[in-house]
Amino acid sequence: MRRRSRVVALAAATWALLGGQAYALGSSSTYTWQQIYAMGHLNAHNGRLLPGCHMYPWSYSIHPPEGVNWEVDVYIDGPNNTHLATAGLLKGADGLNGVRYYRLCSAIAPKGTYTIVSVMNLWDSSGVDHAAHLPVVHYTLS
């Protein structure tokens, strides 16, 4: 839960820095950080932590506004906030939906709750970067 509270605190701090203002994307649209937060989600299912090293899947679905460049930075942490993997999704290189994998070895990763934290970056027509966290994902490998 510490990781989740840090993410919530970061989102609140971001909102405070923006003075509660909307993000301006393009010349005719504005989006709040809550709207950006709703533009995508990731998912991973509960499962078994297998002995040895194996590939574990996670999926994503991104729904950015049309004509806006985007990228998503993904961070996968294990129990006790142990950083395990990083991935990136990029407009033009990745589709709007898909499945990706990360390699995990049971010798270094204990059974428990795993967390995926992601940040979506959008660039408006003037090249200004706007970022917001996507929903945090928690899943268990037992």
Side-chain angles (χ1 to χ4, degrees):
M1 290 304 273
R2 281 191 323 196
R3 178 71 167 193
R4 178 176 241 199
S5 63
R6 283 191 303 214
V7 170
V8 170
L10 179 59
T14 301
W15 184 249
L17 284 172
L18 294 171
Q21 298 298 310
Y23 290 102
L25 298 175
S27 59
S28 63
S29 299
T30 58
Y31 296 92
T32 64
W33 71 268
Q34 294 99 331
Q35 288 171 315
I36 295 173
Y37 176 87
M39 287 182 190
H41 65 274
L42 285 70
N43 194 22
H45 296 287
N46 297 335
R48 290 194 58 222
L49 181 62
L50 303 171
C53 297
H54 296 276
M55 301 300 283
Y56 292 84
W58 57 274
S59 61
Y60 66 93
S61 181
I62 307 298
H63 311 286
E66 262 194 59
V68 174
N69 289 322
W70 59 269
E71 79 171 6
V72 178
D73 299 316
V74 180
Y75 308 94
I76 301 173
D77 293 336
N80 303 320
N81 293 325
T82 305
H83 179 68
L84 299 171
T86 302
L89 304 169
L90 183 62
K91 178 181 179 178
D94 297 291
L96 295 177
N97 302 290
V99 176
R100 300 282 294 271
Y101 296 85
Y102 67 100
R103 183 176 168 89
L104 183 62
C105 298
S106 60
I108 62 166
K111 295 177 181 179
T113 301
Y114 287 71
T115 304
I116 301 176
V117 175
S118 55
V119 177
M120 181 176 220
N121 294 283
L122 302 169
W123 290 272
D124 65 21
S125 58
S126 63
V128 176
D129 181 16
H130 306 284
H133 281 273
L134 297 179
V136 175
V137 176
H138 298 284
Y139 61 103
T140 301
L141 295 177
S142 55

